[in-house]
Amino acid sequence: MLISIAIDFRHADVATRERFHLSEERLTQLYRTARTEVITESALISTCNRTELYAWVDSDDPQVIERSVQVLARRWMRTRSEGDQLLTTATRRVGRDAAEHVVRIASGLESQVLGDGQILGQLKAAYKRASRGQAAGPVLHRLFETALRAGKRVQTETSLTAGRNSVGAEAAITASQRFGNLENARCVVIGAGKTGARASKQLHKLGARDIVVVNRTFENAQSLAGMVGGRAAAWDTLHVEAAMADVVIVATGSEVPVVEAAALRRAREACATSGYALLMMDLSVPRNIDPAVTDEMGITLIDLDTLHQPLVSAEGLRRDAVPYAKTICTDETDAFMEWLATMPARDAIKPLREALEDVARREVAFHAKDDGVAERAASRIVAKLLAGPMAALRRAVQRGEPLDQQAMMLLEMFAPAGGAGASDTRRTGAHRAVAPAPAPSTPMADKPATTAATGTRKTPPFAASQQFS
């Protein structure tokens, strides 16, 4: 069963969200400890507006799922009490609800800014991290590939992502609206990542002539400054640059505030700017500006929660695209759920595929005298031969027919002697991969699946789950 635990801007303010944010180090630890006998896959999505953990639980028993949710929450937060606190705030989803939610995230339908153009890249980065950490398996691979495909379709087939649609760009627009004409304003952008770049480019479009980019890697600051006709400043000068600014936008990946209240106060005193109007915008989670800066006269601080209200007005231009975007998400989710439902059949048909590939490979190799040609030809031949059976199984799923009997028949017909028995298959979603076979007819059913040549344990059925689309 697919499950998710989510903390997002709809149900938690920025102060709450940053409590549950995971650093790269903690995420690596989570991926190392999350796997159990039944929790076989996991992947975490982390953006400025959400932290969501997805996992595959190799059971559909409600009690097993509930225990798995508790285990994941405690691994996320390290302790039982903190995990319980997480679950009092988090939104839980299972099955189709979880799958459709991540597809909607990729499309921009669940973003704080409707159609946020950055979310697809953030989702792709999360998927890569889970893959590098060997935490994602065949189910989550398929889920994220489905979500990314849906997101790309929404971008190319609808106008949902048209116009201004990123937090960085909207922050620049809000600065222009609140401050007035930016032509004579000094704007400092701290952070040269995607959000900082969007903010800088939008400031430039809105007429800002004096843009200062500050970044830990000076070369990145120089590159972005060159794009917007601004200048780069060294990281250790950020408080002085902020003290001399009219608008400061901060968007870094720091786990602690990079703009400190005391340091900013000293810099403003040294620069004789104490009391001058300064608009500061924090686009980071965890927050990168010490909230105590507002104790200083003249400073206005806007964070993501405050920014949300003016962002809502920009969504009107993209709302007409929502119905078609939802249709795309539904279609892609349907395809994923069908793939999930036919997983037992793919597992059961694996012995047939292996037998056919072996025959085809040997016959082609005999005539071609080329192992590479034989391998490719065998795969193509078998894919064509099995296209009909797999299509029939998919139609059975669409009719709502259980696959237990068909899967058992295929397994019994094509499993090699002493090969994969019913006990070596997995439960997937609401279907058993294969129902337990009667003991008299399957004397090997209780033994581990073995290869005929070596007697070693065969790869679990999940390993073959992506062979057929």
Side-chain angles (χ1 to χ4, degrees):
M1 180 69 72
L2 181 68
I3 64 173
S4 73
I5 307 171
I7 299 288
D8 64 29
F9 71 96
R10 297 186 191 278
H11 303 100
D13 60 22
V14 66
T16 302
R17 296 199 302 273
E18 67 184 4
R19 282 177 53 207
F20 302 117
H21 176 80
L22 288 181
S23 65
E24 284 292 330
E25 180 183 358
R26 283 284 298 113
L27 179 56
T28 300
Q29 293 174 353
L30 173 64
Y31 283 154
R32 283 202 304 261
T33 60
R35 191 183 298 271
T36 69
E37 185 177 347
V38 293
I39 303 172
T40 58
E41 305 179 34
S42 59
L44 184 127
I45 300 171
S46 181
T47 73
C48 57
N49 289 318
R50 69 180 70 252
T51 303
E52 303 191 359
L53 180 61
Y54 289 80
W56 176 254
V57 177
D58 198 14
S59 172
D60 56 6
D61 185 322
Q63 292 183 345
V64 174
I65 291 171
E66 177 60 26
R67 286 197 299 270
S68 298
V69 167
Q70 293 174 0
V71 167
L72 288 168
R74 291 163 190 170
R75 298 289 192 273
W76 180 339
M77 297 304 295
R78 292 184 174 177
T79 68
R80 179 188 295 266
S81 61
E82 289 178 327
D84 292 344
Q85 290 175 15
L86 168 66
L87 292 178
T88 62
T89 304
T91 301
R92 307 184 197 185
R93 297 179 177 88
V94 298
R96 183 187 176 90
D97 286 345
E100 190 160 26
H101 184 68
V102 72
V103 171
R104 286 172 59 89
I105 289 174
S107 72
L109 287 171
E110 296 294 331
S111 297
Q112 188 174 36
V113 181
L114 184 65
D116 189 340
Q118 296 185 62
I119 190 64
L120 200 59
Q122 293 169 331
L123 194 71
K124 188 174 182 179
Y127 174 36
K128 285 184 177 179
R129 283 195 297 271
S131 298
R132 286 198 305 268
Q134 299 182 332
V139 176
L140 292 186
H141 282 309
R142 186 74 174 208
L143 175 63
F144 276 84
E145 287 166 2
T146 299
L148 292 171
R149 182 173 59 249
K152 290 176 183 176
R153 285 188 60 193
V154 169
Q155 286 187 345
T156 57
E157 298 176 25
T158 77
S159 59
L160 188 72
T161 60
R164 305 186 306 265
N165 56 7
S166 74
V167 171
E170 297 294 351
I173 293 162
T174 301
S176 177
Q177 293 171 343
R178 294 208 175 199
F179 189 83
N181 190 342
L182 295 177
E183 184 175 346
N184 298 314
R186 171 168 291 184
C187 301
V188 173
V189 178
I190 301 175
K194 288 186 178 180
T195 301
R198 295 287 182 93
S200 300
K201 291 174 182 177
Q202 191 65 41
L203 287 169
H204 182 62
K205 288 180 182 179
L206 293 172
R209 304 289 181 85
D210 187 0
I211 300 175
V212 182
V213 181
V214 183
N215 196 65
R216 289 185 190 276
T217 304
F218 186 68
E219 291 76 11
N220 292 347
Q222 285 181 311
S223 176
L224 178 55
M227 295 180 190
V228 297
R231 67 177 175 85
W235 183 256
D236 58 7
T237 67
L238 72 85
H239 287 98
V240 173
E241 294 292 349
M244 297 292 291
D246 299 295
V247 176
V248 175
I249 297 176
V250 183
T252 81
S254 175
E255 298 295 322
V256 297
V258 298
V259 178
E260 300 172 358
L264 181 61
R265 182 178 64 254
R266 291 193 298 269
R268 279 166 63 91
E269 290 172 353
C271 297
T273 56
S274 298
Y276 280 63
L278 172 59
L279 176 61
M280 307 192 77
M281 309 182 77
D282 191 345
L283 310 185
S284 307
V285 174
R287 288 172 289 184
N288 282 182
I289 300 177
D290 183 350
V293 297
T294 55
D295 294 340
E296 183 80 6
M297 185 181 300
I299 295 180
T300 300
L301 175 61
I302 293 177
D303 61 18
L304 285 168
D305 287 344
T306 310
L307 190 62
H308 181 244
Q309 292 307 314
L311 294 181
V312 172
S313 62
E315 295 182 358
L317 298 175
R318 295 181 285 275
R319 287 200 176 278
D320 290 343
V322 168
Y324 185 39
K326 287 182 176 179
T327 299
I328 291 173
C329 291
T330 299
D331 290 346
E332 293 291 350
T333 305
D334 287 344
F336 171 76
M337 296 306 294
E338 179 184 319
W339 176 89
L340 202 60
T342 55
M343 186 184 291
R346 287 192 302 276
D347 292 345
I349 211 170
K350 181 184 175 185
L352 172 59
R353 176 182 60 79
E354 291 175 341
L356 290 174
E357 282 189 349
D358 182 58
V359 172
R361 187 182 303 107
R362 284 189 282 109
E363 290 300 318
V364 174
F366 176 77
H367 293 284
K369 308 298 182 184
D370 186 323
D371 290 343
V373 170
E375 189 76 30
R376 293 190 295 273
S379 295
R380 289 197 299 270
I381 290 169
V382 172
K384 290 179 180 179
L385 285 172
L386 294 183
M390 288 306 300
L393 290 168
R394 280 194 290 269
R395 288 194 295 272
V397 170
Q398 291 169 349
R399 292 193 297 268
E401 299 175 8
L403 294 181
D404 298 39
Q405 186 174 357
Q406 293 96 322
M408 169 57 73
M409 180 182 66
L410 288 168
L411 186 63
E412 292 300 319
M413 287 176 62
F414 298 108
S423 63
D424 196 38
T425 57
R426 294 180 178 227
R427 292 171 64 92
T428 55
H431 303 281
R432 280 189 186 276
V434 177
S441 63
T442 56
M444 299 296 292
D446 293 332
K447 295 184 180 181
T450 59
T451 61
T454 65
T456 57
R457 186 170 178 83
K458 293 172 66 67
T459 303
F462 270 49
S465 62
Q466 287 184 294
Q467 297 297 324
F468 302 96
S469 300

